[in-house]
Amino acid sequence: MDKLRVLNEYFGHREFRSGQEELIDHIIDGGDVLGIMPTGAGKSLCYQVPAIMLNGVTIVISPLISLMKDQVSALVTAGVSAACINSSLLPEEYYEVMHRACRGEYKLIYVAPERLGTQEMERLVSSIKIAMVTIDEAHCVSQWGQDFRPSYLHIAEFIRSLPQRPIVSAFTATATDTVKEDIVRLLGLHEPFSLVTGFDRHNLYFSVLKPKNKYAELKKQLDGFGDKCGIVYCISRKSVEEICDKLNADGYSATRYHAGLADAERRANQEDFIYDRKRIMVATNAFGMGIDKSNVSFVIHYNMPKNIESYYQEAGRAGRDGSPAQCILLYGPMDVRTNNFMIEKSREENDDLSDEEKEIMLERDKQRLKDMTIYSTTTGCLREFMLRYFGDKAQSYCGNCSNCVNGFEDVDITVDSQKIVSCVFRIKQKGRYFGKSMVIDVLRGSENDRLISLGFDKLSTYGIMKDVPVQTIRAEIDYLASNGYLCCTDDEYPVIELTPLSAKILKERIPVQMKLPKKTPRSKRLTDEQISVNDLLFMKLKSLRSKLASEAKVPAYVVFSDAALRDMCRLLPVTHDEFLNVSGVGKRKAEQYSDEFCRLISAHLSSHPDKKKYD
């Protein structure tokens, strides 16, 4: 069976995506590979297709139980023999899987890295032919990556212990040059074919918002998504608890996930989200790696992450099936201070590194935080900024991010700049420097006790911007700092200082212009009368999919992705052969589901006779 037939018969696709075919060809030819492909680009197919074709078993090393279960469910539904070995199995399930595995009944076996050195695994690999070892989330092997896992360091030793060295394939969504080198070296890849497919996800809409009230903005965004599901990322466990409780109290279908919960609750909450029993997952960054839920329509970051690598990976969990999805960041200046604190704390807690390594990592993490902050405040194209960060070339206008769509306009802030710089200068004359909050309080004429005790209410700049919103002054200070007219230190308690350029504003009175987002009217929600006939069909198909998934006890997207349902709305298949033309429908799924879906579509067409096929 050739690769295209495997792709079509098992996975229901007619052609490969960018990069997939090259990686598959190198694996089939017996070579090691390293594939760096963004979330949703189809990494799994790059090892699943050759695994079906190779003579022997493929061991897939995966960091998370949820990923294994989802992948195995999808493979079994497609007609591929697969299983997973992890701590979620009951004793009788475990012995059954191991018994069948030793008899060579599976083409793919998913294994947690912690299980590689057990006696059961040694017995298994000595009784079957291992054709390939695949390492998913391969960046976990590098301490310079954002998700380092010490258990990954034992993978190379496991591969060396096998009776015969198999093909080794490694995949990840994001990796810097340093991490790439670590992957090749620490996993023992032999002259691997390395491919980076590019980081652009055309179906994702990126936006950065700077709301006065984050929670009010979150509710506004969630209301706009209707019954669609998504993830809300928070910076801390405490934030997760607070936001999840508020959402549930306000009538939203939400659950929570963070490392402080008991294992049983984490698993239950995750399954509620995966199986669409809960619409919204509120979580820390502990949630999501390897989650193969294809119908996530939005990812909202309630707080700014520590680095662009983490943001891109987390945001990329939206729209995995290629459907349009939104990635929204709610930025607040306090996020920068909180992340700085967490970076410092992680350095103190990391006892596995030398003092020199700690300093190197601290410097690296602070630079990454700076880059993330610049992304959050840039007036340029968000997609271009992100792609350039990862080394991709991109146009300066993408047309699919908030900065490009809403646009910016130049606003003269010359007078405000003079007031701000003058205030910093007057505070300095008192022999002190303070952070943004104190400068803003002086400018707005605050009467807080500390300000008064310091005598700052006697400064000539006290209250000269009392009618200007705090958010506006803060944005202007950030702009002046990012352009060198002021300096914001990187200390644990950052302060605003003067620079050589500050004098140009006060003495030379140079003009200062700042780009601010244009105000756009709020979009209106569609009424029932405005919903198209095909939207109604899509809802019917989703309902049928949910029923079948519930009966099979699998997540809805394992039956069909939203993209497949939309293709059904486009093609309107009413026969088995027509159903095979739907993207994502393979031979096994057509045999299993074509009758019920075609019957529903036929009934829909009968009730809407004016709706023609292939409109």
Side-chain angles (χ1 to χ4, degrees), residues 36-98:
I36 300 170
M37 308 168 75
T39 303
K43 292 187 293 293
S44 299
L45 283 182
C46 294
Y47 63 82
Q48 290 172 348
V49 168
I52 294 169
M53 299 171 63
L54 292 170
N55 179 24
V57 178
T58 291
I59 300 288
V60 182
I61 300 169
S62 175
L64 294 175
I65 291 172
S66 55
L67 170 62
M68 301 184 201
K69 292 171 69 174
D70 286 352
Q71 294 275 6
V72 169
S73 294
L75 285 167
V76 171
T77 302
V80 181
S81 57
C84 59
I85 300 173
N86 56 52
S87 59
S88 71
L89 298 178
L90 297 172
E92 57 269 25
E93 292 175 326
Y94 176 77
Y95 290 118
E96 173 67 16
V97 169
M98 290 299 294

Side-chain angles (χ1 to χ4, degrees), residues 166-224:
I167 299 165
V168 182
S169 56
F171 297 91
T172 184
T174 57
T176 61
D177 288 340
T178 301
V179 173
K180 288 181 208 172
E181 292 170 5
D182 272 0
I183 291 172
V184 174
R185 178 173 57 86
L186 296 172
L187 294 178
L189 302 184
H190 289 182
E191 298 181 356
F193 169 71
S194 182
L195 180 69
V196 180
T197 60
F199 293 90
D200 196 4
R201 295 273 305 282
H202 297 286
N203 62 313
L204 299 185
Y205 177 87
F206 290 96
S207 61
V208 176
L209 305 176
K210 304 177 181 68
K212 294 180 182 177
N213 184 320
K214 280 194 179 185
Y215 184 70
E217 183 63 37
L218 174 63
K219 290 204 300 179
K220 173 184 166 185
Q221 294 297 326
L222 293 177
D223 289 342

Side-chain angles (χ1 to χ4, degrees), residues 173-393:
T174 57
T176 61
D177 288 340
T178 301
V179 173
K180 288 181 208 172
E181 292 170 5
D182 272 0
I183 291 172
V184 174
R185 178 173 57 86
L186 296 172
L187 294 178
L189 302 184
H190 289 182
E191 298 181 356
F193 169 71
S194 182
L195 180 69
V196 180
T197 60
F199 293 90
D200 196 4
R201 295 273 305 282
H202 297 286
N203 62 313
L204 299 185
Y205 177 87
F206 290 96
S207 61
V208 176
L209 305 176
K210 304 177 181 68
K212 294 180 182 177
N213 184 320
K214 280 194 179 185
Y215 184 70
E217 183 63 37
L218 174 63
K219 290 204 300 179
K220 173 184 166 185
Q221 294 297 326
L222 293 177
D223 289 342
F225 288 113
D227 64 350
K228 295 177 180 177
C229 68
I231 305 169
V232 177
Y233 279 110
C234 298
I235 202 167
S236 67
R237 299 175 187 181
K238 182 181 177 183
S239 296
V240 167
E241 297 285 349
E242 290 176 352
I243 300 304
C244 188
D245 287 346
K246 280 185 177 181
L247 288 176
N248 281 307
D250 289 336
Y252 294 90
S253 173
T255 188
R256 60 183 183 167
Y257 190 106
H258 60 71
L261 299 176
D263 289 345
E265 183 181 350
R266 280 206 307 273
R267 282 196 298 270
N269 292 351
Q270 181 166 294
E271 289 192 357
D272 280 345
F273 180 65
I274 294 293
Y275 285 85
D276 295 330
R277 294 190 288 264
K278 294 289 186 179
R279 184 171 77 88
I280 302 162
M281 173 60 81
V282 185
T284 61
N285 59 7
F287 176 80
M289 187 167 68
I291 297 299
D292 198 22
K293 185 174 171 66
S294 65
N295 61 334
V296 174
S297 296
F298 61 89
V299 170
I300 299 175
H301 279 79
Y302 198 79
N303 307 101
M304 183 187 77
K306 288 185 288 190
N307 54 66
I308 292 176
E309 289 90 344
S310 295
Y311 177 68
Y312 187 73
Q313 190 172 52
E314 290 159 13
R317 284 157 194 155
R320 289 178 66 101
D321 64 354
S323 301
Q326 293 201 40
C327 308
I328 303 167
L329 171 58
L330 305 183
Y331 171 75
M334 184 59 68
D335 296 338
V336 182
R337 293 184 63 180
T338 304
N339 277 311
N340 252 322
F341 171 77
M342 294 175 75
I343 288 171
E344 292 280 359
K345 186 178 178 182
S346 65
R347 176 181 66 161
E348 294 169 5
E349 294 176 348
N350 198 335
D351 297 327
D352 297 330
L353 301 177
S354 66
D355 289 342
E356 184 180 357
E357 287 175 324
K358 286 181 181 180
E359 284 302 316
I360 293 172
M361 291 190 71
L362 177 65
E363 185 178 343
R364 179 209 65 180
D365 288 345
K366 289 206 167 187
Q367 181 57 52
R368 285 179 171 178
L369 180 57
K370 277 186 180 179
D371 292 332
M372 186 71 233
T373 306
I374 294 171
Y375 169 85
S376 303
T377 55
T378 183
T379 57
C381 172
L382 296 173
R383 178 173 268 98
E384 189 268 343
F385 185 98
M386 199 175 306
L387 295 180
R388 181 161 41 83
Y389 178 85
F390 287 115
D392 269 10
K393 292 182 179 179

